[in-house]
Amino acid sequence: MLFITLCSRQKALDSPVEPEREAEPTATPPGTARLPLTENGDGFPGHGFGGRERLAIRCGAADAPADAAPIPSCPSPSHTRFAAPFRPSRNNPAQGAMHKGIIRLFRHRHQPEYLHLRSETDGVARITSWADGLMFERWGRLHGWSRRPNSDAPAPRRQATAPFWGWWRDERDPDLPLLGLHGLPVPQAQWLEDFLRPIPAHVREAAGQFTWRQFTILRMMRRTDYAVQLATSNPTLLWLVAARLVRNRRLTGDIPDLLKMKQTALIRLLFGDGTGVTPALLRKTRSHSYDSATFRDAERLLCNAEAVGQLRHYPVIDLDRLGELDGRYDILAAKFLKRRFLAPEPSPRPLSLVRGEYMDTVGLGKSLGIQDAGQVVRACPTVQALQHLHARWANAVRRMAWFRENRGRWGTVFPRPPYMSDGVIIPIRTPEELLEEGRWQDHCVWNYADLVEAGLCTIYRVLYPQRATLELRGGRGNAHVGQLFLRHNGEPSPRCWAYVLNWLDEQNRRARAAKPPARPPAG
């Protein structure tokens, strides 16, 4: 005869709480059998693992099977050893099954091949062995159903039974990197090693490269060998598929059929059409950890069609470093970034600082009114060239600020130059033209505004045979070259010097020939 006995949590020796206390094992009362472990997952949790009270079913002596052995569903203090805890890896709290507090490992004396877990807030859970399917189950309150024949109905009718406590399957990923836990105390490390030993070595090697969703990938490899093959040929694709399975709760019997599909079809299921993601592109990607932060960055990157188009030209795509771009994927077209990723040794300068310099330089170019400033910046071949361009444009912005403050010191037009334009050597007539010449040539000719306004010198724009800036001293008939520089104060070629000197000699000769003769002195 069955009857229900209410056992308080404080009096039960096998309660899932108070794990630190040591006690001697107590014998199971005669005729008492624990409920069988629920492997079908039909039950659902009540109010958590460690409730204030729990229910057990006691069988009479006549009803108890002769070979009934106690199957403790919760660990008792007598067979539990705890040491220093470890914390789970970073995960998405909305999707992880055990993500709160500290998680401890322990071994169950009746199920030594399973790995049991205890969380401070989520209660007790376990991971079944590799032979039993590597399932994640939690201890909680279940509601069962029984069938009894009904004479009036042709089919048996289901009837709800009293709630009871047992194991129920949780299809979510517990987010525990079992193959990457290091630094555990001796007991826990040994238990974990014993649990992982039945897993084939090639499976452990293939799944060990993943940190986030490692448990789901192990389950996929347990179901089909196609997962192991995909982890070898295209690990990023397998990782993305595992994350999408957890998100969509599709960890069901269709995994073998899903992984039998071609990689192109899998990518189409993940990203749809039009993104440009290909199996060849994913094979070029790599990550040292494949953690949750890398997944967020990779998903954001691969859903951007423009960024994917630029990544096709990269021989290697480091997902860990691309996360530092923080969504500024226009920088992927920059030559200096491609060279940085091609370097055999990673640069000690963080990529986030390079991204900041790129954004600042583009902003400076826009403030200067440069069309396609981003294209000009992305054409820099190296990071040093980017820094040099940033310094030049920053000086130009400071010049513009200085010019606006001192604009009232000069007139609208500079004094008349000694020689006018011939189409190749053109005089600069206004302060605005002088500032523009200094900006385009990237030198300090704008500092000569006061001298030009006083008539002490004249600035010319040279267009041939090289783009240069010319300073003339003196007046008509006796002008001479003060300075002649190219862009960035570069030295002109002999041909450019010869052209400018010939032009100046011709202009001086004409000015002297057109000047009227001086009157002789009277007397």
Side-chain angles (χ1 to χ4, degrees):
M1 178 177 181
L2 295 178
F3 63 94
I4 299 176
T5 303
L6 185 65
C7 304
S8 64
R9 171 180 161 186
Q10 290 78 7
K11 295 181 180 180
L13 294 177
D14 56 350
S15 174
V17 296
E18 301 179 4
E20 302 295 342
R21 186 179 56 188
E22 293 289 339
E24 293 295 330
T26 57
T28 304
T32 300
R34 296 297 181 188
L35 292 174
L37 305 181
T38 57
E39 300 290 344
N40 53 7
D42 293 335
F44 56 91
H47 300 284
F49 300 152
R52 299 290 297 178
E53 298 173 339
R54 59 186 180 85
L55 295 175
I57 295 181
R58 177 175 295 180
C59 302
D63 299 327
D67 57 346
I71 307 177
S73 298
C74 292
S76 65
S78 60
H79 52 72
T80 305
R81 301 293 182 187
F82 293 94
F86 67 91
R87 291 189 178 274
S89 63
R90 295 179 299 169
N91 62 346
N92 190 339
Q95 299 176 13
M98 299 191 70
H99 58 274
K100 300 177 181 179
I102 299 176
I103 299 175
R104 301 174 184 266
L105 302 180
F106 64 92
R107 173 178 288 182
H108 199 291
R109 63 179 178 180
H110 291 283
Q111 297 165 342
E113 70 278 7
Y114 289 1
L115 185 67
H116 289 75
L117 313 168
R118 180 190 293 272
S119 173
E120 294 179 344
T121 55
D122 288 347
V124 178
R126 71 179 182 182
I127 300 176
T128 63
S129 63
W130 178 262
D132 291 342
L134 205 67
M135 300 296 179
F136 178 67
E137 298 175 345
R138 304 170 73 177
W139 173 258
R141 192 176 184 182
L142 306 176
H143 291 263
W145 296 85
S146 64
R147 295 179 181 270
R148 67 177 185 178
N150 188 353
S151 58
D152 298 333
R157 186 175 59 183
R158 301 181 68 189
Q159 180 180 10
T161 62
F164 58 91
W165 287 82
W167 293 103
W168 61 277
R169 184 176 303 172
D170 192 348
E171 296 291 351
R172 293 178 297 174
D173 192 318
D175 197 16
L176 295 175
L178 300 177
L179 299 175
L181 297 179
H182 304 286
L184 294 176
V186 175
Q188 296 190 21
Q190 185 62 41
W191 298 337
L192 181 61
E193 182 181 354
D194 295 341
F195 175 78
L196 297 176
R197 187 176 296 111
I199 302 177
H202 69 282
V203 173
R204 294 198 303 267
E205 182 180 359
Q209 58 185 322
F210 306 101
T211 301
W212 193 62
R213 300 306 181 219
Q214 182 190 104
F215 181 76
T216 300
I217 293 175
L218 281 172
R219 289 192 61 185
M220 295 169 67
M221 294 180 178
R222 174 65 177 81
R223 299 288 298 277
T224 174
D225 291 336
Y226 288 103
V228 182
Q229 299 174 9
L230 190 59
T232 305
S233 61
N234 200 334
T236 302
L237 179 56
L238 177 65
W239 184 52
L240 296 174
V241 171
R244 188 61 58 89
L245 287 175
V246 173
R247 177 179 298 178
N248 296 344
R249 305 291 176 85
R250 292 181 55 192
L251 198 57
T252 57
D254 61 346
I255 290 179
D257 297 334
L258 182 68
L259 295 183
K260 287 180 183 178
M261 300 171 60
K262 293 185 178 180
Q263 296 185 14
T264 305
L266 284 175
I267 292 174
R268 190 179 298 112
L269 287 177
L270 293 175
F271 301 100
D273 298 326
T275 58
V277 182
T278 61
L281 178 68
L282 293 181
R283 280 192 291 268
K284 294 191 297 183
T285 59
R286 66 184 183 186
S287 175
H288 298 290
S289 58
Y290 285 103
D291 56 9
S292 59
T294 305
F295 173 77
R296 290 191 293 268
D297 297 332
E299 189 177 37
R300 184 180 180 184
L301 176 70
L302 296 175
C303 291
N304 189 308
E306 183 180 356
V308 170
Q310 295 296 334
L311 289 175
R312 290 181 178 179
H313 307 290
Y314 282 65
V316 177
I317 303 172
D318 193 338
L319 298 177
D320 300 330
R321 300 169 68 184
L322 285 178
E324 302 179 25
L325 297 181
D326 196 21
R328 289 302 303 261
Y329 298 133
D330 53 335
I331 195 177
L332 292 173
K335 294 183 179 179
F336 61 84
L337 190 65
K338 294 180 182 179
R339 289 193 177 186
R340 184 182 179 91
F341 275 88
L342 286 175
E345 294 293 335
S347 174
R349 186 177 182 83
L351 191 59
S352 57
L353 296 181
V354 179
R355 175 184 57 84
E357 291 178 351
Y358 167 80
M359 297 174 58
D360 292 343
T361 308
V362 173
L364 291 173
K366 292 180 179 179
S367 64
L368 294 174
I370 300 176
Q371 297 182 353
D372 299 329
Q375 185 176 356
V376 175
V377 176
R378 289 189 290 269
C380 296
T382 61
V383 177
Q384 290 74 16
L386 171 67
Q387 296 171 351
H388 184 64
L389 180 63
H390 180 276
R392 284 165 39 207
W393 285 1
N395 292 332
V397 171
R398 287 192 291 267
R399 288 197 298 266
M400 290 182 62
W402 177 86
F403 181 83
R404 295 190 186 99
E405 294 176 0
N406 298 273
R407 181 64 183 84
R409 294 164 53 181
W410 315 298
T412 305
V413 181
F414 285 138
R416 182 181 177 86
Y419 306 120
M420 301 306 293
S421 172
D422 65 347
V424 177
I425 300 179
I426 305 171
I428 294 177
R429 300 301 308 277
T430 64
E432 287 75 16
E433 291 181 0
L434 186 65
L435 180 66
E436 187 72 10
E437 179 71 9
R439 184 173 68 85
W440 282 108
Q441 293 296 96
D442 197 20
H443 48 48
C444 58
V445 70
W446 53 275
N447 282 329
Y448 288 73
D450 293 333
L451 298 178
V452 177
E453 180 70 18
L456 300 179
C457 68
T458 306
I459 305 299
Y460 286 81
R461 183 181 296 117
V462 180
L463 305 180
Y464 179 84
Q466 289 179 294
R467 182 65 175 87
T469 303
L470 171 65
E471 177 198 3
L472 289 186
R473 299 272 182 166
R476 288 179 60 85
N478 62 350
H480 60 277
V481 176
Q483 299 181 74
L484 179 64
F485 287 110
L486 303 179
R487 187 179 176 87
H488 308 311
N489 289 327
E491 187 67 25
S493 63
R495 182 184 177 188
C496 184
W497 270 107
Y499 184 89
V500 171
L501 293 177
N502 292 336
W503 172 83
L504 184 58
D505 291 342
E506 181 66 19
Q507 296 294 329
N508 285 334
R509 185 185 61 78
R510 291 180 181 180
R512 287 192 296 266
K515 186 180 297 187
R519 294 182 180 181

